[in-house]
Amino acid sequence: MTGARAVTCPSCGGSIEIRAAGYTVTLGCRYCGSLLDVANEDVRLITAYRRAAKNFAIAPGARGTLFDVEWEVIGALRRRSGSAIWQEFLLFNPYSGYRWLVASDGEWQFGTMLLDRPEDDGLAVSWRGRSFALEDDAEIETTTVIGEFYWRTARGDKVQGATFANGREQLSRETTADEVTWTQLIPITAEWVSEAFKVEQRHMPRPPRPDLTEGFRKAPGMAEDDLGKMFLVALASLGLILMAQVFLSGPRVCSDGRATIEVGAATSTHRIGTLEVRRPWQLVTIAVDSDSFTNRWVDLDYSLVNRRTQQSIDAYGIVEYYTGTDSDGPWSEGEHHAETLIARVPRGTYDVFVDAGSHGWPTDPPPGSIDPANPWGPGETVALWFRSCTGGFSWGMFWLMAALLFSVPGLILWWRHRD
Amino acid sequence: MQSLNCPSCGAALPVRDPGLPYSTCAYCQTLVRREAGKLESVGTVAALPADVSPIQIGTTIAREGMAATVVGRVRWGWSDGSWNEWFLRAADGRQLWLGEAMGMYMLTSEYSAVLEIPAIQNFAEGNPMARDCTVKAAGKWLTASDIKEAGCLGSEGDLPFPTLPGRTMTNVDFRNAAGDALSVQRDADGTTAWLGVWTDLAGLKPGNLRQIEGWTMPRALA
């Protein structure tokens, strides 16, 4: 009597030999991947697929000898938990029953279903007098099914899988609504597996990244798929902020003024413009340009005085420019331009004043010294041109928002790629 | 071995266990009842589907000093599969069932004492059995882990009950951490209880196993 039973795939018409006839319940067609119910004489199509996954480390149908028993790989599953993906091969010998070969993280395990079950005592189990500590307890999803299996299985099947370890030996507990299955897993070298079966190295599940990244990727909400979304959300938010800022900045009305101040003299007050704020609240920008002094600074205390209430809004600015020569050669610092942004100016008409005072660096020029450019003038002066405008775009705020929005996804990206 | 002839096709009908009332003709699938030396055809049994069980009629086992021989088989089907139950006659006259599942074996002998347990009495009266129901049998606690409604798919050899198509039964498997097994079966004839162990094939110290085409019998079992 022949051991195998031949069936025809109702989906693709392919002829398939059932190796474990009498035990096999579910068959994943090796030609088209369709799932078939072969529990009874009539083959029933459960789910049709168009393509069988071929990229398993060991091809179903392969035979090899492990632990002095010849095994046939009759089924293969690809499963995943979180971001970990691995392959499981169902081995069969009619005289020895079923075993498992599990390929994960570049390593192999040989699995035997347990008839005597471990005794549970919280975070550890005891089995044959030894204690196994809980390592992992997570949902496992089956993503690919090829070959034959003695239970009902399908793509998308989910079980709760717990792993208990004692050294490199593991006990795996899989819980479904119907039953609890225990399997003993012992490590087996890749060389040993390769001697028994033809192993396609390029189809081996990839070794893991370092533990820290692994943990990070497994953290809730940190699944790999989320990162792209996070960047898109950040970008979209930034776009909205940009539009809001542009909308809030207008309308733009400007007023010009100028002032000339004496270096080293006491601060003097100048009216440098009039502004009308027409919206309930607006930004006001005061830009200043100076003539080209060196080694001087000008302190600028601005006041926006509301004509109706005489209340004042104050802000500060500085123009400074220094040059010199040191061991690295000539240097310069500062510029002859400055901008001051005043946030939240309420509706109203304002006179813009500046209290300006200029000083020399490292010391003020001596009083009465003659300005070589204007030997008959009243002493060295700095000329300042002001432009006060309602509205204004806060680039500082924009970039701060950008930094905040992109910091989390950016940090994750860096974390993943830093090795 | 005493031999009779099938009343339907005339083929030889070996009597493997004269104490058993039913025998399936290997040639025409006729179910024959043997009673007081009379042979009577009671129907036709479905042909057994092909399988790769290493057990066959005539396979011997030895466990804990007890030797037994397989004399018959019934195959049960349920919604998600099917399994073999092999009937054995021990040298001491005891009757044993050897159930095959997942490449493993459940060897049991009749243990009627548990039928007195209220939960099992309740089941015997036709009520459903609660999963996780725990009972004590021969000093061992066992928990109901598997409850199946099954229908007869076919038979061979000598058996204690008729195996015509349409026969159904409800089977409850109890097990425990030590690998003990209790099987309670309810059918039209009543309820029986069977106590034993789960084991792999090697644990049965089998002899006269079936030679399966394409496979080499492991030396330890040959």
Side-chain angles (χ1 to χ4, degrees):
Chain A
M1 186 190 267
T2 175
R5 165 189 166 200
V7 299
T8 302
C9 175
S11 185
C12 71
S15 176
I16 313 160
E17 261 194 357
I18 296 182
R19 309 302 308 203
Y23 300 107
T24 294
V25 165
T26 306
L27 180 70
C29 173
R30 63 194 180 97
Y31 304 108
C32 68
S34 292
L35 271 185
L36 314 179
D37 173 0
V38 294
N40 302 306
E41 282 297 275
D42 58 318
V43 177
R44 201 171 56 83
L45 181 67
I46 301 169
T47 315
Y49 294 107
R50 278 197 219 132
R51 202 169 61 84
K54 296 226 188 321
N55 45 347
F56 279 98
I58 305 177
R63 280 202 189 192
T65 300
L66 283 174
F67 302 102
D68 293 332
V69 175
E70 184 184 27
W71 302 101
E72 181 161 334
V73 176
I74 63 167
L77 300 174
R78 187 170 286 111
R79 305 178 91 189
R80 74 162 175 231
S81 178
S83 61
I85 296 173
W86 66 95
Q87 296 171 16
E88 295 185 0
F89 300 92
L90 183 60
L91 308 180
F92 177 72
N93 175 301
Y95 300 101
S96 305
Y98 292 96
R99 297 294 185 277
W100 289 99
L101 259 184
V102 181
S104 61
D105 301 351
E107 292 177 0
W108 291 91
Q109 286 176 306
F110 185 77
T112 306
M113 193 181 73
L114 297 182
L115 294 175
D116 51 336
R117 289 159 175 235
E119 308 259 17
D120 205 329
D121 53 6
L123 291 178
V125 296
S126 69
W127 180 65
R128 297 189 188 175
R130 289 187 303 139
S131 178
F132 291 74
L134 179 67
E135 256 192 355
D136 195 22
D137 194 351
E139 189 175 72
I140 298 172
E141 184 182 352
T142 299
T143 56
T144 309
V145 177
I146 287 295
E148 48 186 285
F149 301 89
Y150 58 83
W151 70 98
R152 288 249 180 266
T153 187
R155 298 187 195 185
D157 274 358
K158 284 173 184 160
V159 299
Q160 190 67 26
T163 309
F164 300 84
N166 178 326
R168 295 194 64 205
E169 183 177 339
Q170 290 183 331
L171 299 180
S172 144
R173 180 186 67 198
E174 292 194 4
T175 310
T176 64
D178 289 337
E179 59 180 346
V180 178
T181 316
W182 283 92
T183 306
Q184 175 211 28
L185 293 164
I186 56 169
I188 173 170
T189 64
E191 292 73 29
W192 209 350
V193 176
S194 298
E195 276 171 29
F197 300 99
K198 184 169 175 283
V199 175
E200 288 282 358
Q201 288 302 334
R202 69 202 160 98
H203 292 148
M204 275 292 282
R206 264 177 280 163
R209 290 160 183 275
D211 282 343
L212 251 176
T213 29
E214 181 80 357
F216 195 76
R217 283 184 293 149
K218 274 186 183 171
M222 300 292 172
E224 202 146 14
D225 299 354
D226 288 353
L227 193 61
K229 272 188 211 154
M230 287 172 86
F231 272 109
L232 281 177
V233 167
L235 198 64
S237 306
L238 200 60
L240 285 174
I241 287 167
L242 180 71
M243 282 159 66
Q245 276 193 273
V246 167
F247 174 73
L248 288 172
S249 67
R252 187 174 166 88
V253 181
C254 293
S255 171
D256 293 335
R258 61 163 298 180
T260 304
I261 54 171
E262 200 169 331
V263 178
T267 59
S268 51
T269 302
H270 309 264
R271 198 172 78 88
I272 53 169
T274 304
L275 281 176
E276 194 185 345
V277 173
R278 296 186 196 132
R279 293 165 63 108
W281 300 94
Q282 254 191 316
L283 286 165
V284 169
T285 315
I286 304 173
V288 58
D289 289 279
S290 72
D291 56 7
S292 55
F293 56 78
T294 56
N295 295 334
R296 303 284 180 265
W297 82 87
V298 185
D299 285 315
L300 301 160
D301 287 301
Y302 299 110
S303 304
L304 267 62
V305 179
N306 188 312
R307 280 190 182 169
R308 191 170 57 80
T309 64
Q310 288 300 304
Q311 280 191 324
S312 161
I313 298 168
D314 299 331
Y316 176 74
I318 189 169
V319 192
E320 51 191 339
Y321 192 79
Y322 313 100
T323 59
T325 304
D326 63 14
S327 56
D328 292 334
W331 55 268
S332 68
E333 195 177 310
E335 53 182 323
H336 297 102
H337 174 85
E339 276 187 25
T340 299
L341 195 67
I342 305 167
R344 286 177 70 83
V345 178
R347 195 197 303 271
T349 305
Y350 294 86
D351 286 314
V352 187
F353 294 95
V354 65
D355 284 349
S358 176
H359 298 278
W361 178 83
T363 55
D364 280 336
S369 64
I370 290 163
D371 179 358
N374 186 7
W376 293 280
E380 188 191 338
T381 58
V382 172
L384 299 162
W385 291 269
F386 296 93
R387 168 165 277 207
S388 313
C389 296
T390 61
F393 189 85
S394 174
W395 281 106
M397 179 64 74
F398 179 79
W399 289 119
L400 178 69
M401 286 298 179
L404 286 175
L405 283 167
F406 282 98
S407 62
V408 173
L411 194 67
I412 293 172
L413 195 68
W414 168 77
W415 203 303
R416 283 191 194 164
H417 293 285
R418 68 195 176 130
D419 43 327
Chain B
M1 191 187 290
Q2 181 194 351
S3 192
L4 304 169
N5 290 92
C6 172
S8 178
C9 71
L13 195 67
V15 180
R16 301 174 180 91
D17 186 338
L20 295 175
Y22 294 95
S23 186
T24 306
C25 173
Y27 299 94
C28 68
Q29 307 296 324
T30 296
L31 184 67
V32 179
R33 180 163 55 210
R34 304 179 298 223
E35 220 165 13
K38 280 203 318 193
L39 291 183
E40 182 192 0
S41 166
V42 290
T44 304
V45 169
L48 281 169
D51 68 13
V52 289
S53 172
I55 310 288
Q56 61 184 353
I57 296 216
T59 294
T60 59
I61 65 161
R63 196 176 163 88
E64 288 163 5
M66 175 197 66
T69 306
V70 174
V71 297
R73 151 164 76 152
V74 56
R75 190 164 179 91
W76 297 103
W78 63 298
S79 55
D80 281 347
S82 53
W83 76 98
N84 287 323
E85 292 205 349
W86 300 92
F87 193 76
L88 296 91
R89 175 67 77 177
D92 62 8
R94 265 194 293 171
Q95 297 182 340
L96 305 171
W97 281 108
L98 182 66
E100 266 188 299
M102 303 174 292
M104 299 290 184
Y105 300 86
M106 188 175 78
L107 181 66
T108 56
S109 61
E110 190 152 25
Y111 188 82
S112 301
V114 293
L115 298 175
E116 308 299 318
I117 294 170
I120 293 179
Q121 264 180 3
N122 185 51
F123 171 74
E125 283 162 15
N127 298 303
M129 172 67 75
R131 188 189 292 274
D132 296 335
C133 168
T134 300
V135 299
K136 194 175 187 182
K140 296 159 183 149
W141 287 100
L142 300 113
T143 304
S145 59
D146 191 19
I147 302 164
K148 290 185 174 93
E149 305 282 337
C152 183
L153 293 183
S155 65
E156 62 175 322
D158 297 359
L159 289 166
F161 53 78
T163 49
L164 295 174
R167 184 184 178 92
T168 59
M169 64 118 168
T170 304
N171 181 82
V172 182
D173 282 341
F174 293 77
R175 58 191 300 177
N176 65 11
D180 296 311
L182 173 70
S183 168
V184 179
Q185 295 192 346
R186 180 181 67 199
D187 59 29
D189 300 333
T191 300
T192 55
W194 304 78
L195 182 67
V197 290
W198 279 97
T199 177
D200 58 10
L201 187 59
L204 296 169
K205 297 193 183 62
N208 192 23
L209 287 175
R210 173 179 154 207
Q211 180 59 58
I212 300 163
E213 191 184 300
W215 290 95
T216 308
M217 200 179 297
R219 199 167 297 170
L221 298 176

